[in-house]
Amino acid sequence: MGSAARMDFSKLGHTCVIGLQWGDEGKGKIVDLLMEHFDLSVRYSGGANAGHTVVIGGDKFALHQLPSGILRKNVLAIIAVGAVLDPGVLLGEIASLRQRGIDITPERLRISDRAHVVFPYHRREDMLAEQTARAGDKLGTTARGIGPCYADKVSRHWGVRTCDLLRPDHLRERLATIVAYKNAVFRSAYESREVFDAQVLADEYLALGEQLRPYICDTTALLHREMKAGRRVLFEGAQGSLLDIDHGTYPYVTSSSAAGGGVSSGAGVPPSVIQSSLGVVKAYSTRVGAGPFPTELADVTGDTIRTRGHEFGTTTGRPRRCGWFDAVAASYAAMLAGPTHLAILHLDTLSGFAEIDVCVAYRRKGRLLNEFPADAYDFSEIEPVYETAPGWAADLGACRSVGDLPREARDYVTLISRRLNVPVGIIGVGPGREQTIFVEEL
Ligand code: GDP
Ligand code: IMO
Ligand code: MG
């Protein structure tokens, strides 16, 4: 660790911030911190299922659709092609930020003309699918319509993009076909008697489209023009690598490419453009919703982490499941994302434990596994193998340098870094912007 290259934030090229667990790692805080050194803030995947928290001087902001970098002055924020857009949520977020003195104009925010739009029938489908699934098959989604919207995008027959909101006749025709199909599905598959009216929806979404018109453009072309002009881009991952549609703990995943690979397709940039990436982890693990979680602590220790870390969903308010750090899962995510540095957050939350466990291997039927399991059934047979580290008692909230940390806390960070084989760039000791340690040496 000591020999790791120091991270010089002011000199970073285009960089992405990727969660290496099941989401809520603290990506919002890291984007806000790094944004000082960047010009563009880009969300490229997911939608209003995300909830990114930024705390500035005691003021708390929760961003769902908007890139977190928008909170900094002079930043151009982009919602790129790979994200899905819920216009009502976005406009609500813009209005609420304006009320708090953060001005959002088309000079500061652009939305891809190719991003798919989330409609009320997507949210309904999300809810009905969850309500009617057998107990063990429920995914515990955020009910934001994300899965159905991405499914319609991929099916091609039913997808609607932001550019479609700007062409009235076309949108009316398209919604007439789509809504007839959706209503038929709701009636036959879910015995739902509520139906959507295509014309009412078209009126509503054409009006929303008019409000969004000044923001909608070809963000891929814009991004490339800006990069050519020398401006630096910070790409903000949503969700976490273990929720990735391809690489995550399927089917208990989200519907987008949340692991490192998503940035290129989602933003429309070649992979070679990304010069560094920050893998964000918490010093323990959390998960909201259903699915495998080998280190989950369904006991008083888990409750203690939840209480100390305020582990309740930013989007849904649900209590997050809590457990020890899973170095097997995070190493798998690091392998996919190839982070140049780690940001380890919530180190402060672990103060007060006499001992802290870290899962360093998975055992199945007496044998150690070499690979990350493919499905939930495999996970049900897994036993985590723990290494136990000594804890520390001191409150870390006021620590501002590695030297301020108790030796045990420093060793714990080193342990995670060694297990993931990635140097540490940032340590979080509280939600506030200032509660951050920029690591020079461990
Ligand atoms: P994101 O979705 O990855 O942006 O993360 P969330 O905002 O959903 O959840 C992270 C939570 O942890 C938020 O409430 C943050 O304010 C908070 N947070 C971030 N870093 C730290 C830290 O180092 N210590 C503590 N105690 N809280 C943190
Ligand atoms: P951020 O960006 C944590 C989880 C849901 C559910 C699964 C599928 O704040 O880290 P979805 O609504 O996407 O179909 O739900 O994914 N999930 C998240 N968990 N943080 C998120 O985003 C999440 N976005 C989705 O809880 O388990
Ligand atoms: Mg979150």
Side-chain angles (χ1 to χ4, degrees):
M1 252 329 287
S3 61
R6 189 168 80 82
M7 198 173 186
D8 187 347
F9 296 95
S10 64
K11 293 210 176 67
L12 288 182
H14 308 308
T15 297
C16 65
V17 172
I18 306 281
L20 299 184
Q21 294 164 315
W22 284 282
D24 301 329
E25 297 89 351
K27 300 174 293 292
K29 168 168 169 158
I30 296 300
V31 168
D32 170 64
L33 274 174
L34 297 189
M35 207 59 225
E36 182 183 2
H37 307 292
F38 291 84
D39 306 295
L40 279 86
S41 177
V42 179
R43 272 280 308 269
Y44 57 84
S45 67
N49 49 347
H52 295 182
T53 315
V54 176
V55 179
I56 308 169
D59 278 341
K60 186 167 165 175
F61 299 87
L63 299 154
H64 301 284
Q65 285 277 187
L66 285 167
S68 304
I70 193 104
L71 299 177
R72 295 252 184 199
K73 282 197 183 109
N74 304 322
V75 163
L76 172 60
I78 290 183
I79 300 175
V81 188
V84 291
L85 188 84
D86 189 322
V89 173
L90 176 72
L91 289 166
E93 215 163 294
I94 292 176
S96 107
L97 286 187
R98 277 201 184 126
Q99 276 184 347
R100 298 176 73 178
I102 293 161
D103 196 24
I104 296 173
T105 59
E107 282 70 51
R108 294 245 295 132
L109 171 70
R110 289 306 175 98
I111 301 164
S112 169
D113 50 7
R114 292 148 172 89
H116 279 249
V117 178
V118 178
F119 282 86
Y121 50 76
H122 290 132
R123 290 193 293 269
R124 167 92 56 87
E125 203 173 335
D126 199 349
M127 241 173 48
L128 288 172
E130 285 282 272
Q131 279 167 4
T132 55
R134 287 177 310 168
D137 293 339
K138 293 186 197 295
L139 304 178
T141 71
T142 60
R144 295 297 184 270
I146 302 299
C149 181
Y150 275 112
D152 282 355
K153 167 180 174 170
V154 177
S155 86
R156 296 151 300 158
H157 289 293
W158 321 116
V160 175
R161 304 190 296 173
T162 58
C163 57
D164 298 316
L165 301 182
L166 308 180
R167 291 169 55 204
D169 292 346
H170 165 72
L171 184 72
R172 284 187 193 286
E173 256 176 48
R174 202 148 169 70
L175 280 179
T177 312
I178 294 170
V179 167
Y181 169 75
K182 295 285 177 186
N183 283 338
V185 171
F186 292 143
R187 269 195 298 263
S188 61
Y190 299 111
E191 295 170 7
S192 166
R193 265 184 246 123
E194 276 181 83
V195 288
F196 286 98
D197 181 318
Q199 288 313 317
V200 171
L201 263 191
D203 288 343
E204 185 188 341
Y205 276 73
L206 285 169
L208 290 167
E210 276 315 304
Q211 291 186 67
L212 293 178
R213 185 184 285 278
Y215 300 96
I216 295 174
C217 74
D218 178 345
T219 56
T220 306
L222 172 65
L223 198 50
H224 282 268
R225 276 199 306 275
E226 292 286 321
M227 291 192 297
K228 217 168 169 186
R231 285 186 267 279
R232 295 196 298 160
V233 186
L234 187 59
F235 297 93
E236 174 177 359
Q239 289 73 57
S241 301
L242 303 172
L243 290 171
D244 184 278
I245 181 71
D246 293 304
H247 305 286
T249 48
Y250 191 89
Y252 303 96
V253 292
T254 190
S255 300
S256 58
S257 296
V263 60
S264 179
S265 61
V269 297
S272 55
V273 154
I274 315 294
Q275 286 147 12
S276 47
S277 64
L278 215 68
V280 189
V281 292
K282 273 178 188 159
Y284 47 93
S285 308
T286 63
R287 175 162 204 166
V288 226
F293 186 177
T295 62
E296 181 169 15
L297 295 163
D299 59 13
V300 67
T301 308
D303 293 344
T304 305
I305 296 177
R306 183 176 310 106
T307 309
R308 289 192 192 152
H310 305 290
E311 292 295 356
F312 295 87
T314 310
T315 299
T316 57
R318 291 178 290 178
R320 294 175 181 149
R321 300 158 65 195
C322 298
W324 295 125
F325 189 80
D326 184 340
V328 178
S331 295
Y332 168 71
M335 177 186 81
L336 297 170
T340 41
H341 285 82
L342 290 178
I344 301 182
L345 300 184
H346 276 271
L347 190 62
D348 54 301
T349 300
L350 291 182
S351 290
F353 288 107
E355 291 184 326
I356 301 167
D357 286 344
V358 173
C359 170
V360 295
Y362 289 164
R363 190 184 289 129
R364 187 177 177 199
K365 295 183 179 158
R367 289 213 179 142
L368 291 182
L369 291 191
N370 293 320
E371 271 132 35
F372 196 69
D375 78 20
Y377 176 74
D378 296 335
F379 271 102
S380 69
E381 298 189 326
I382 272 177
E383 254 180 88
V385 178
Y386 286 114
E387 180 173 326
T388 300
W392 59 90
D395 181 350
L396 308 186
C399 296
R400 295 292 176 269
S401 72
V402 168
D404 294 341
L405 293 172
R407 153 108 348 246
E408 293 80 5
R410 240 181 298 167
D411 289 347
Y412 182 71
V413 168
T414 304
L415 169 65
I416 292 181
S417 171
R418 287 224 177 99
R419 284 285 165 187
L420 271 56
N421 200 20
V422 184
V424 180
I426 297 177
I427 298 169
V429 290
R433 218 184 230 175
E434 70 294 349
Q435 291 180 298
T436 305
I437 296 174
F438 293 100
V439 176
E440 307 227 348
E441 209 178 322
L442 270 173

